[in-house]
Amino acid sequence: MNLEVGFEDMVRPGMSIEAREVSRQRSSGNNLVVQYHIFVKGVPPDTLLQQVSWPVNADKLSSPLQSISVGKDGILMCAGRLAEQCGDNNNPDDPIEFTMSPIKGEPSRVAFVAPNVKIGMVIVPDSISAKDKGCTLSAVRLTPRFELAYISGTGYAPNFDVHYRTSSETTNDLPVKSDGKGRIRVSLIPNNGSKSTGKMKVKVTEASCSPEISYEWGKL
């Protein structure tokens, strides 16, 4: 969970990062493919960025692309104008389509780094989420088969014990402390007994709001 939160919070003051979906082909559970343009703000001009990512099924960082330029409005692109820039000078200033083929609840952790820059985010193209009365609740896959989940939410009272219920093989009522911004974050392992697969339900049980989500664990 600390790894996930580290990518979520990897935005220094004065910087911002945003992913905008540009293409979605096929559907959830049917070889989904989603493409994004990514925009960053606050990065010094002429900075060349290196992409780093950490897939759920990997045990270390990878670096899929280097020498990325920041274009108009902050779009990440392969400028291709100089030898040190990624891209082709026959197709200069080409916006990068970051392509993802996720399964349900799978995060794409991406960051862009340079000597004086480190900015990142988590994109979940096929999300598991719910909203109720201004509160949100979501589940992200932290292991390939969802044996470990990252449960998060926003819109709760700050610094408050938020109560939630988990139901799989057993039912448990638990509290999690929200932070000063009203966010909750907790990791969750199903009490699976002798089973290797199952379904987990998570529901906030506060009177002010009660979003509920579910996901299957033990399966890809």
Side-chain angles (χ1 to χ4, degrees), residues 70-83:
V70 181
K72 184 179 179 181
D73 299 324
I75 193 167
L76 297 185
M77 65 181 188
C78 281
R81 295 179 179 276
L82 303 173

Side-chain angles (χ1 to χ4, degrees), residues 3 6-7 10 50-64 109-113 118 121:
L3 175 63
F7 273 85
M10 199 188 298
Q50 175 185 356
Q51 179 191 356
V52 295
S53 62
W54 199 322
V56 167
N57 60 358
D59 58 5
K60 61 182 180 180
L61 287 166
S62 61
S63 182
R109 310 175 185 123
V110 294
F112 302 92
V113 299
K118 183 184 291 184
M121 68 188 311

Side-chain angles (χ1 to χ4, degrees), residues 19-213:
R20 300 178 190 174
E21 184 176 320
V22 294
S23 173
R24 181 174 291 254
Q25 299 178 23
R26 296 185 284 276
S27 58
S28 176
N30 185 29
N31 299 315
L32 178 66
V33 178
V34 188
Q35 291 186 322
Y36 295 88
H37 286 162
I38 295 181
F39 298 78
V40 299
K41 298 291 179 66
V43 175
D46 302 321
T47 299
L48 292 180
L49 298 169
Q50 175 185 356
Q51 179 191 356
V52 295
S53 62
W54 199 322
V56 167
N57 60 358
D59 58 5
K60 61 182 180 180
L61 287 166
S62 61
S63 182
L65 187 60
Q66 301 185 25
S67 303
I68 299 169
S69 299
V70 181
K72 184 179 179 181
D73 299 324
I75 193 167
L76 297 185
M77 65 181 188
C78 281
R81 295 179 179 276
L82 303 173
E84 61 268 25
Q85 298 170 331
C86 68
D88 183 348
N89 59 13
N90 292 317
N91 185 26
D93 302 337
D94 183 25
I96 300 168
E97 281 79 38
F98 293 90
T99 303
M100 302 167 190
S101 302
I103 55 178
K104 195 72 174 176
E106 180 183 5
S108 291
R109 310 175 185 123
V110 294
F112 302 92
V113 299
N116 297 311
V117 174
K118 183 184 291 184
I119 187 168
M121 68 188 311
V122 178
I123 305 169
V124 187
D126 195 3
S127 64
I128 299 168
S129 61
K131 186 174 183 179
D132 181 63
K133 300 176 184 176
C135 301
T136 70
L137 188 65
S138 65
V140 169
R141 189 183 296 257
L142 291 185
T143 54
R145 297 183 182 274
F146 234 145
E147 304 94 338
L148 179 63
Y150 168 49
I151 307 299
S152 65
T154 61
Y156 301 94
N159 303 310
F160 182 74
D161 279 339
V162 178
H163 294 83
Y164 66 100
R165 177 175 297 135
T166 65
S167 303
S168 185
E169 287 291 280
T170 60
T171 298
N172 297 284
D173 290 288
L174 303 161
V176 57
K177 177 74 75 174
S178 63
D179 66 13
K181 296 181 180 180
R183 300 176 298 185
I184 58 172
R185 291 167 165 170
V186 66
S187 58
L188 189 61
I189 299 173
N191 184 3
N192 59 342
S194 61
K195 292 188 175 182
S196 59
T197 62
K199 187 174 184 178
M200 174 64 78
K201 295 181 180 180
V202 185
K203 181 177 182 178
V204 172
T205 55
E206 295 295 329
S208 57
C209 62
S210 54
E212 180 178 4
I213 56 174

